[in-house]
Amino acid sequence: MIDFRYHIVSLISVFLALAVGIILGAGPLKESIGDQLTGQVDALRSDKDALRTELDGAHTALTDTESFVAATAPSLLEGVLPGRRVAIIQLGTIDDAVYDSAAQQILAAGATVSARVQVTDAWTDPAQADTRQSYATSLTEYLDNPAAAEGFDTTLAQVLVNSLADADPANPDVFSSDAGLVRLILVDGKLIEVLTDPQAPADAFVILTPKQAESGAEKTAEATAIAAAAEIEVKLVVAAQAGSEGAVVAGTAPVEGDLISVIRADSALASTLTTVTDLSSITGAVNVPLALAARIGGQVGQFGFGAGATAPAPPAVALEPITRVPSGGDVAPDAGGAEPPAEGDAG
């Protein structure tokens, strides 16, 4: 049993140790300890200064590169998308500066932005599945081949694309009689928001993905939601590609399980769908019209950086100005000698 004397001895030992430490620290070890601590602080300060200098240099180099790309973009993009009408579909809120930069490069390439719409959270929300199914059922009659639509999310994707791309058979510069009605139904159902009124049937599509928060193990629910949404968003990209000359998905930095990552990780999807990353930089914005021109010309790629990227930039493709004729609403472009698209792949 531990008695009172044991505690007394323990306390005396502690105080003796403290006293010895104070005496040594203030005496023979004072200079050694002080010098060691000073040396460590100086080394840390030197490392910090070196890292700051390296970071400043990298930032300057990046700024210079972006300035160069911005200065050369007009000549690089001139005539890349001659006469094309591009509809932009946002899969969420896109920063105004990011959108403006991408739209500016599309215009510089000789194209016009024919429409800008945004799908709402209801487009992918599992809790809204019954609502989507109900609207899809009522909109099936507006599809040329309803039996080919596999599931109600595919139906909605196809009718949205058609509402932005279908032309009047007698006038390819005017929407079909059903296009406006379908858009109105989708808006009333709170499935889409029209950010810019459609001006004319689109020839091609750019699908913009919002920046996603990084999802680690502590954000399992968020990661699951991103992956579930991507499964539905892929159907929209497939519909846009099949229902136009070509489509491109563009976003900032891909996150595991999001739309761009899903496309790049799936060999079948990656062989038919084109993606672009780094949209928040001028380099990524310039890649958007270049990638769209390449896709229209029959070349598929995953452009930018990150997992699954096939090249930093798209190959150069020369497209002829598009020719629109009132013959059943078909668009008859000359894609610079590209092979005719396979059935079901209008790109």
Side-chain angles (χ1 to χ4, degrees), residues 88-91 115-124 132 135 139 156-157 159-161 163-164 179-196 198 236:
I88 295 179
I89 299 177
Q90 297 181 186
L91 300 181
R116 181 188 179 193
V117 302
Q118 177 175 317
V119 299
T120 66
D121 292 342
W123 192 271
T124 57
R132 294 200 303 276
Y135 275 98
L139 289 168
L156 290 177
V159 296
L160 173 56
V161 168
S163 76
L164 298 172
L181 176 60
V182 170
R183 284 198 303 273
L184 182 60
I185 294 173
L186 293 175
V187 170
D188 286 346
K190 295 182 172 51
L191 292 171
I192 68 168
E193 296 177 11
V194 176
L195 304 180
T196 300
L236 180 54

Side-chain angles (χ1 to χ4, degrees), residues 72-84 104-112 289-290 292-294 296 315-322 334-336:
T72 57
S75 58
L76 179 66
L77 295 176
E78 185 176 3
V80 166
L81 291 170
R84 263 61 181 187
Q104 181 180 350
Q105 308 315 319
I106 291 172
L107 297 177
T112 58
L290 293 175
L292 186 56
I296 293 172
V317 174
L319 301 179
E320 293 296 326
I322 193 167
D334 180 353

Side-chain angles (χ1 to χ4, degrees), residues 237-335:
V237 182
V238 171
Q241 176 59 45
S244 70
E245 279 196 281
V248 167
V249 181
T252 53
V255 173
E256 183 178 358
D258 71 355
L259 177 60
I260 291 180
S261 296
V262 166
I263 292 173
R264 291 184 169 187
D266 187 308
S267 59
L269 293 174
S271 67
T272 59
L273 304 179
T274 289
T275 65
V276 169
T277 57
D278 307 294
L279 186 60
S280 57
S281 70
I282 184 63
T283 304
V286 169
N287 267 348
V288 170
L290 293 175
L292 186 56
R295 188 63 190 88
I296 293 172
Q299 301 203 38
V300 183
Q302 316 306 321
F303 304 113
F305 302 95
T310 56
V317 174
L319 301 179
E320 293 296 326
I322 193 167
T323 301
R324 301 183 183 90
V325 293
S327 57
D330 291 332
V331 175
D334 180 353

Side-chain angles (χ1 to χ4, degrees), residues 50-269:
L51 290 173
R52 170 58 63 183
T53 300
E54 184 178 345
L55 179 61
D56 289 343
H59 184 268
T60 299
L62 178 61
T63 301
D64 291 344
T65 300
E66 297 236 323
S67 297
F68 174 79
V69 173
T72 57
S75 58
L76 179 66
L77 295 176
E78 185 176 3
V80 166
L81 291 170
R84 263 61 181 187
R85 296 190 293 229
V86 180
I88 295 179
I89 299 177
Q90 297 181 186
L91 300 181
T93 302
I94 303 296
D95 183 82
D96 287 341
V98 172
Y99 170 80
D100 290 342
S101 180
Q104 181 180 350
Q105 308 315 319
I106 291 172
L107 297 177
T112 58
V113 176
S114 61
R116 181 188 179 193
V117 302
Q118 177 175 317
V119 299
T120 66
D121 292 342
W123 192 271
T124 57
D125 186 357
Q128 298 293 322
D130 290 341
T131 299
R132 294 200 303 276
Q133 185 172 20
S134 176
Y135 275 98
T137 301
S138 65
L139 289 168
T140 300
E141 63 180 288
Y142 296 102
L143 293 179
D144 292 334
N145 185 12
E150 299 179 356
F152 58 87
D153 285 320
T154 299
T155 297
L156 290 177
Q158 291 179 355
V159 296
L160 173 56
V161 168
N162 292 348
S163 76
L164 298 172
D166 275 2
D168 187 328
N171 186 350
D173 294 323
V174 176
F175 284 107
S176 67
S177 57
D178 292 335
L181 176 60
V182 170
R183 284 198 303 273
L184 182 60
I185 294 173
L186 293 175
V187 170
D188 286 346
K190 295 182 172 51
L191 292 171
I192 68 168
E193 296 177 11
V194 176
L195 304 180
T196 300
D197 288 334
Q199 302 300 310
D203 304 309
F205 286 85
V206 169
I207 298 171
L208 301 181
T209 66
K211 183 178 182 180
Q212 301 281 9
E214 290 290 342
S215 53
E218 72 283 0
K219 297 182 179 180
T220 303
E222 184 175 338
T224 301
I226 291 173
E231 290 185 12
I232 298 173
E233 292 165 349
V234 164
K235 302 177 189 297
L236 180 54
V237 182
V238 171
Q241 176 59 45
S244 70
E245 279 196 281
V248 167
V249 181
T252 53
V255 173
E256 183 178 358
D258 71 355
L259 177 60
I260 291 180
S261 296
V262 166
I263 292 173
R264 291 184 169 187
D266 187 308
S267 59
L269 293 174

